[in-house]
Amino acid sequence: MISLICAGGKFLPSGAIDPGKIEIFTRQRANFSNVNVIEVEEDVPFIMEAARKARGEYLLFLLGPARFMEGFERIFSDAMERPYPVLVFSDHMEGGTPRRLYDYRGDITERFPMGYVLGVKKSVLLELGLRPEFKRAYLYDFRLRLEERGGKIIRLREPLYEVPLSGGSGGLLASFSYLNYPPELEREVEKAFKDMLKRRGAFLSGGIRKVIDGDGEVPISVIIPVRNRARFIGKALDSLMRQTFVDFEVVITDTGSTDGTKEIIAEYAEKDRRIRPIFVEGGTLAEALNLCVRYSRGRYVAQLDSDDEYTPDALEVAFGAMEKHPEAALGVSYYEVIDEEGGLIEELGVVRHLEFDRNNILRTEGAGALRIWRRSVLLKLGLFDERNFPDFGEDYDMVLKAVESHDLVRIHRVLYRYRKHGGSSDITTEEERKINLKTLARKAAMERRKLINRAGLIARGLPAS
């Protein structure tokens, strides 16, 4: 028998529900023989009480109303019958359309999409339990702890239930949903995440190193990698020409544009000697960034994407912040989102990333923009990873490396304008690939942090285990 626990509220499942094989636990009264009502308001006590009373060996958490397909109970049960703990999720239908999820590859964030139905053995749930201090992040915390017990997260590729169309947006900022969390939810998720880091030996609490700065022929080098951005590269360069801080150079690497971008760059470079173009045939984004850094002459290196813009005071404010904080490896500001014509998209608001700290950055999608680096730090860290992150995630990976041993200064001003358009890499890169690349960066960072902490214990004469 399978026991369905309606974890998300007062609702009932529908579809292929055989009362002889399935029992339901809910907080909504219903006149059905297979429905058990437990009138407990908070989720964790309700779920644990339902699990204790369940007759089924297998439990399904329902996180919303679902209509189940024929045979779902057999497929879920077979998947949960393993010699090790498992948490099982499946593809499903959404508003009549197949919703294909992704194989789980170790994503440690709370945002990995797992649908609306999760399966686990009753014995596993009763052994691990749900932590009562969590009101909403209890299943995220449970998943992290289950993995630490040698558990596996298993995706079933067959749609086993249907839910109404969610109306959720994809693409731009979809993975940044945490920016709109209520404060209490953010606190819970952060606690679950940081508790996990501490259990796994990857939580950083010290070890900030002094930055060894280098000299520069100019204060700032703005670096721009570009390919086929004829529509926007002029706007990016115009935003630089309007800067209140004028002592900078612009290093642009074009990796083989065929749409007139090279000609636009050459025209700007002829008018302003601060612009230093590099034209190469082919190359990845990470290779273009690294070429820019190697050719740059600035003490600081500021990143600007070829379809974005700076505010007029961006370099002045960023330079001042870095000068006031000689201990910082990089500075990061707020940004706003604009449309293709440069108009502010007000409903998206200002992106501040106030959740940032050197541990929480491992579960978020980034630290923000504008990013201004000490060139010496980029060189010390080996520049952007061309092998693992050729065209996506290279900047996130570099931020993770930098904050492991250095400070990051937050610049509490909007200095950057991120342009939303159909050709943006955040739109064109497949969601599964983005998740997997960020997961790769986080896994590597976790291992580095464990080594940092072990080295710190050894230095203090304590056992590294």
Coordinates of all heavy atoms in Angstrom, one line a residue, residues 305-338:
D305 N 29.2 43.3 -20.2 CA 28.8 42.5 -21.3 C 28.4 43.3 -22.5 O 28.0 44.5 -22.3 CB 27.5 41.6 -20.9 CG 27.9 40.5 -19.9 OD1 29.1 40.2 -19.8 OD2 27.0 39.9 -19.3
S306 N 28.5 42.8 -23.7 CA 28.4 43.6 -24.9 C 27.0 44.1 -25.2 O 26.8 44.9 -26.0 CB 28.9 42.8 -26.1 OG 28.1 41.6 -26.2
D307 N 26.0 43.5 -24.4 CA 24.6 44.0 -24.6 C 24.1 44.8 -23.4 O 22.9 45.1 -23.4 CB 23.7 42.8 -24.9 CG 23.9 41.6 -24.0 OD1 24.8 41.7 -23.1 OD2 23.2 40.6 -24.1
D308 N 25.0 45.1 -22.5 CA 24.5 45.8 -21.3 C 25.1 47.2 -21.2 O 25.8 47.6 -22.2 CB 25.0 45.0 -20.0 CG 24.3 43.7 -19.9 OD1 23.2 43.5 -20.6 OD2 24.8 42.8 -19.2
E309 N 24.9 47.9 -20.2 CA 25.3 49.3 -20.1 C 25.7 49.6 -18.6 O 25.3 49.0 -17.7 CB 24.2 50.3 -20.5 CG 23.7 50.1 -21.9 CD 22.5 51.1 -22.2 OE1 22.3 52.0 -21.4 OE2 21.8 50.8 -23.2
Y310 N 26.6 50.6 -18.5 CA 27.0 51.2 -17.2 C 26.1 52.4 -17.0 O 25.7 53.1 -17.9 CB 28.4 51.6 -17.1 CG 29.5 50.5 -17.0 CD1 30.8 50.8 -17.2 CD2 29.1 49.2 -16.6 CE1 31.8 49.8 -17.0 CE2 30.1 48.2 -16.4 CZ 31.4 48.5 -16.6 OH 32.3 47.6 -16.5
T311 N 25.9 52.8 -15.7 CA 25.3 54.1 -15.4 C 26.5 55.1 -15.5 O 27.7 54.7 -15.5 CB 24.8 54.1 -14.0 OG1 25.8 53.8 -13.0 CG2 23.6 53.1 -13.8
P312 N 26.2 56.4 -15.7 CA 27.3 57.4 -16.0 C 28.3 57.4 -14.9 O 29.5 57.8 -15.1 CB 26.5 58.7 -16.1 CG 25.1 58.3 -16.6 CD 24.8 57.0 -15.9
D313 N 28.0 57.2 -13.6 CA 28.9 57.3 -12.5 C 29.5 55.9 -12.1 O 30.2 55.8 -11.1 CB 28.3 57.9 -11.3 CG 27.1 57.2 -10.8 OD1 26.6 56.2 -11.5 OD2 26.6 57.5 -9.7
A314 N 29.3 54.9 -12.9 CA 29.7 53.5 -12.5 C 31.2 53.4 -12.2 O 31.5 52.9 -11.1 CB 29.3 52.5 -13.6
L315 N 32.0 53.8 -13.1 CA 33.5 53.6 -12.9 C 34.0 54.5 -11.7 O 34.8 54.1 -10.9 CB 34.2 53.9 -14.1 CG 34.0 52.9 -15.3 CD1 34.8 53.2 -16.5 CD2 34.3 51.4 -14.8
E316 N 33.4 55.7 -11.6 CA 33.9 56.6 -10.5 C 33.5 56.0 -9.2 O 34.4 56.0 -8.3 CB 33.2 58.0 -10.7 CG 33.5 59.0 -9.6 CD 32.8 60.3 -9.7 OE1 32.1 60.5 -10.7 OE2 33.0 61.2 -8.8
V317 N 32.3 55.5 -9.0 CA 31.9 54.9 -7.7 C 32.6 53.6 -7.5 O 33.1 53.4 -6.3 CB 30.4 54.7 -7.7 CG1 29.9 54.0 -6.5 CG2 29.6 56.1 -7.8
A318 N 32.7 52.8 -8.5 CA 33.4 51.5 -8.3 C 34.9 51.7 -7.9 O 35.4 51.0 -7.1 CB 33.3 50.6 -9.6
F319 N 35.6 52.6 -8.6 CA 37.0 52.9 -8.3 C 37.1 53.4 -6.9 O 38.0 52.9 -6.2 CB 37.5 53.9 -9.3 CG 38.9 54.3 -9.1 CD1 40.0 53.5 -9.4 CD2 39.2 55.5 -8.5 CE1 41.3 53.8 -9.2 CE2 40.6 55.9 -8.2 CZ 41.6 55.0 -8.6
G320 N 36.2 54.3 -6.5 CA 36.3 54.8 -5.1 C 36.1 53.7 -4.1 O 36.8 53.7 -3.0
A321 N 35.2 52.8 -4.3 CA 34.9 51.7 -3.4 C 36.2 50.8 -3.2 O 36.5 50.4 -2.1 CB 33.7 50.9 -3.8
M322 N 36.8 50.5 -4.3 CA 38.0 49.6 -4.3 C 39.1 50.3 -3.6 O 39.9 49.7 -2.9 CB 38.3 49.1 -5.7 CG 37.3 48.2 -6.3 SD 37.0 46.7 -5.4 CE 38.5 45.8 -5.7
E323 N 39.3 51.6 -3.8 CA 40.4 52.3 -3.2 C 40.2 52.4 -1.7 O 41.1 52.4 -0.9 CB 40.5 53.7 -3.8 CG 41.0 53.8 -5.2 CD 42.4 53.4 -5.3 OE1 43.3 54.3 -5.0 OE2 42.8 52.3 -5.7
K324 N 38.9 52.5 -1.2 CA 38.6 52.5 0.2 C 38.7 51.2 0.9 O 38.8 51.1 2.1 CB 37.2 53.1 0.4 CG 37.1 54.5 0.1 CD 35.6 55.0 0.3 CE 35.4 56.5 -0.1 NZ 34.0 56.9 0.0
H325 N 38.8 50.1 0.1 CA 38.8 48.7 0.6 C 40.0 48.0 0.0 O 39.8 47.1 -0.8 CB 37.5 48.0 0.4 CG 36.3 48.7 1.1 ND1 36.0 48.3 2.4 CD2 35.4 49.6 0.7 CE1 34.9 49.0 2.8 NE2 34.6 49.8 1.8
P326 N 41.2 48.3 0.4 CA 42.3 47.6 -0.2 C 42.4 46.1 0.1 O 43.1 45.4 -0.5 CB 43.5 48.3 0.5 CG 43.0 48.9 1.7 CD 41.6 49.3 1.5
E327 N 41.6 45.6 1.1 CA 41.5 44.2 1.4 C 40.7 43.4 0.5 O 40.7 42.2 0.5 CB 41.0 44.0 2.8 CG 39.5 44.2 3.0 CD 39.0 45.6 3.0 OE1 39.9 46.5 2.9 OE2 37.8 45.8 3.1
A328 N 39.8 44.1 -0.4 CA 38.9 43.4 -1.2 C 39.4 42.9 -2.5 O 40.2 43.7 -3.2 CB 37.7 44.3 -1.5
A329 N 39.1 41.7 -2.9 CA 39.5 41.2 -4.2 C 38.6 41.8 -5.4 O 39.1 41.9 -6.5 CB 39.4 39.7 -4.3
L330 N 37.4 42.0 -5.1 CA 36.5 42.6 -6.1 C 35.4 43.4 -5.4 O 35.1 43.2 -4.2 CB 35.9 41.5 -6.9 CG 34.8 40.6 -6.4 CD1 33.9 40.1 -7.5 CD2 35.3 39.5 -5.5
G331 N 34.8 44.2 -6.2 CA 33.6 45.0 -5.7 C 32.4 44.6 -6.6 O 32.6 44.4 -7.8
V332 N 31.2 44.6 -6.0 CA 30.0 44.2 -6.8 C 28.9 45.2 -6.4 O 28.6 45.5 -5.2 CB 29.6 42.8 -6.5 CG1 28.3 42.5 -7.3 CG2 30.7 41.8 -6.8
S333 N 28.2 45.8 -7.4 CA 27.2 46.7 -7.2 C 25.8 46.1 -7.4 O 25.6 44.9 -7.7 CB 27.3 47.9 -8.2 OG 26.9 47.5 -9.5
Y334 N 24.7 46.9 -7.3 CA 23.4 46.6 -7.7 C 23.2 46.7 -9.2 O 24.0 47.4 -9.8 CB 22.4 47.5 -7.0 CG 22.4 47.5 -5.5 CD1 21.7 48.5 -4.8 CD2 23.0 46.5 -4.7 CE1 21.7 48.5 -3.4 CE2 23.0 46.5 -3.3 CZ 22.3 47.5 -2.7 OH 22.3 47.6 -1.3
Y335 N 22.2 46.1 -9.7 CA 21.9 46.4 -11.1 C 20.4 46.5 -11.3 O 19.6 46.0 -10.5 CB 22.5 45.3 -12.0 CG 22.0 43.9 -11.9 CD1 20.9 43.4 -12.7 CD2 22.6 43.0 -11.0 CE1 20.5 42.1 -12.6 CE2 22.2 41.7 -10.9 CZ 21.1 41.3 -11.7 OH 20.7 40.0 -11.5
E336 N 20.0 47.1 -12.4 CA 18.6 47.1 -12.9 C 18.4 46.4 -14.2 O 19.4 46.3 -14.9 CB 18.1 48.6 -12.9 CG 18.8 49.4 -13.9 CD 18.5 50.9 -13.7 OE1 17.9 51.3 -12.8 OE2 18.9 51.7 -14.6
V337 N 17.2 46.0 -14.5 CA 17.0 45.3 -15.8 C 16.3 46.2 -16.8 O 15.3 46.9 -16.4 CB 16.1 44.1 -15.5 CG1 15.9 43.2 -16.8 CG2 16.8 43.2 -14.5
I338 N 16.8 46.3 -18.0 CA 16.2 47.1 -19.0 C 15.7 46.3 -20.2 O 16.1 45.1 -20.4 CB 17.2 48.2 -19.5 CG1 18.5 47.5 -20.0 CG2 17.6 49.1 -18.4 CD1 19.5 48.5 -20.6

